[in-house]
Amino acid sequence: MKGKFIVIEGLEGAGKTTSSHTVAATLRKHGVHKIIYTREPGSTPLAEKLRQLIKKTEVTKNEKIIHYTELLMLYAARIQLIENVIKPALTRGTWVIGDRHDLSSQAYQGEGRGISHDFIYRLKKEVIGNFTPDLTLYLDITPRISLQRIKKRGQLDRIEEESLHFFTCVRNYYLTMVKTNHRIKKIDATQSQNKMTEDLHRVLKEWLQTQ
Ligand code: T5A
């Protein structure tokens, strides 16, 4: 049997890293034991280098990163990951839990940066074709809570330094997509971690019954 690709999306500090372990634990309870984790951008040697270029201000402090450059680096990292890691894993029956995927580019570069969705769609079709997650869990928090949580971690990275307006646009895009795409399920990430874990268990259990 082929593996499945489950993606966790949401604003910074929504709890994606924490939730990926909850998802894995639920899968194991349901008999899925071959699981790997990925993060985007990243999870291959080249994609991790691109991640540093995208996130770290010190790398490019004297040069403005053009929005298209950022988008193209993200798709370069994504296709490296899909072809070298995700597809081979799915083929050998391993399930993949992804911390972010294509929806992040639509939300951050499309809605946040203002690059046309039509352009992103055409780029996506050309680069990754019809490859798409089996399930996306969108962890919903307000931009204010997101900023409060990430500020606790210390210095912000290049994208985290964006304005509240930027993150409001990103969140609104996620919320619109939840309404239009039945493969995206929303989880309230402002509640306690215990309550979130309960919700994740329930949503995954219901989804697994349909597979
Ligand atoms: N990006 C990425 C794009 O712009 N376009 C793209 O196409 C892609 C793929 C990635 C950056 O790249 C951008 C988006 C990002 O800016 P990243 O460091 O991977 O950079 O950023 P995130 O993916 O957002 O990861 P974070 O670590 O910031 O957020 P998480 O993983 O959602 O949050 P987590 O689990 O580490 O938790 C953060 C803190 O919040 C607390 C945790 O204890 C932790 O301290 N927390 C809670 N506190 C209270 N209640 C809860 N329910 C909590 N859940 C977590």
Side-chain angles (χ1 to χ4, degrees):
M1 195 184 113
K2 277 191 71 180
K4 303 266 183 204
F5 183 30
I6 299 176
V7 170
I8 308 179
E9 288 275 358
L11 295 183
E12 285 71 358
K16 295 182 293 299
T17 311
T18 323
S19 298
S20 59
H21 299 295
T22 307
V23 170
T26 310
L27 291 179
R28 282 191 207 99
K29 269 194 195 154
H30 288 82
V32 177
H33 295 286
K34 284 160 59 184
I35 300 168
I36 61 165
Y37 298 96
T38 60
R39 67 170 181 182
E40 292 196 33
S43 295
T44 83
L46 176 54
E48 286 294 327
K49 292 271 180 223
L50 288 164
R51 179 185 178 89
Q52 285 176 17
L53 294 176
I54 292 165
K55 281 174 62 94
K56 301 286 178 210
T57 26
E58 63 263 28
V59 180
T60 48
K61 60 179 173 237
N62 296 320
E63 180 180 354
K64 178 177 168 14
I65 299 189
I66 307 303
H67 294 343
Y68 282 118
T69 311
E70 181 180 82
L71 180 73
L72 293 169
M73 285 199 286
L74 284 160
Y75 273 95
R78 182 161 301 132
I79 192 61
Q80 286 298 117
L81 176 63
I82 292 174
E83 295 299 333
N84 292 322
V85 178
I86 302 179
K87 281 186 180 171
L90 298 177
T91 305
R92 50 172 205 270
T94 297
W95 288 47
V96 180
I97 301 174
D99 185 333
R100 299 191 181 277
H101 186 60
D102 193 69
L103 190 57
S104 282
S105 295
Q106 297 169 36
Y108 283 75
Q109 281 62 49
E111 214 61 23
R113 301 285 192 223
I115 297 178
S116 101
H117 284 289
D118 180 54
F119 177 79
I120 298 180
Y121 180 75
R122 284 187 284 128
L123 179 67
K124 172 193 165 167
K125 276 279 165 206
E126 199 60 46
V127 178
I128 68 173
N130 290 325
F131 184 78
T132 192
D134 296 285
L135 173 69
T136 298
L137 298 163
Y138 163 60
L139 310 185
D140 184 48
I141 50 169
T142 64
R144 258 179 222 288
I145 296 180
S146 165
L147 283 176
Q148 275 166 14
R149 287 188 191 167
I150 58 177
K151 274 183 182 161
K152 276 193 201 153
R153 286 196 301 224
Q155 211 189 343
L156 304 185
D157 69 32
R158 198 178 61 83
I159 298 177
E160 288 167 353
E161 280 172 349
E162 282 297 335
S163 64
L164 215 50
H165 174 70
F166 175 93
F167 291 107
T168 303
C169 294
V170 172
R171 180 187 183 217
N172 288 344
Y173 185 79
Y174 277 127
L175 290 172
T176 306
M177 294 313 287
V178 168
K179 286 193 194 131
T180 54
N181 185 338
H182 71 280
R183 287 184 186 214
I184 308 173
K185 311 283 182 205
K186 184 177 111 177
I187 307 281
D188 178 356
T190 60
Q191 33 183 8
S192 70
Q193 275 175 343
N194 282 349
K195 187 73 186 61
M196 244 177 96
T197 302
E198 269 175 33
D199 283 4
L200 281 167
H201 280 312
R202 181 181 45 76
V203 168
L204 261 173
K205 201 173 146 195
E206 283 169 14
W207 176 76
L208 284 165
Q209 281 164 356
T210 66
Q211 298 306 298

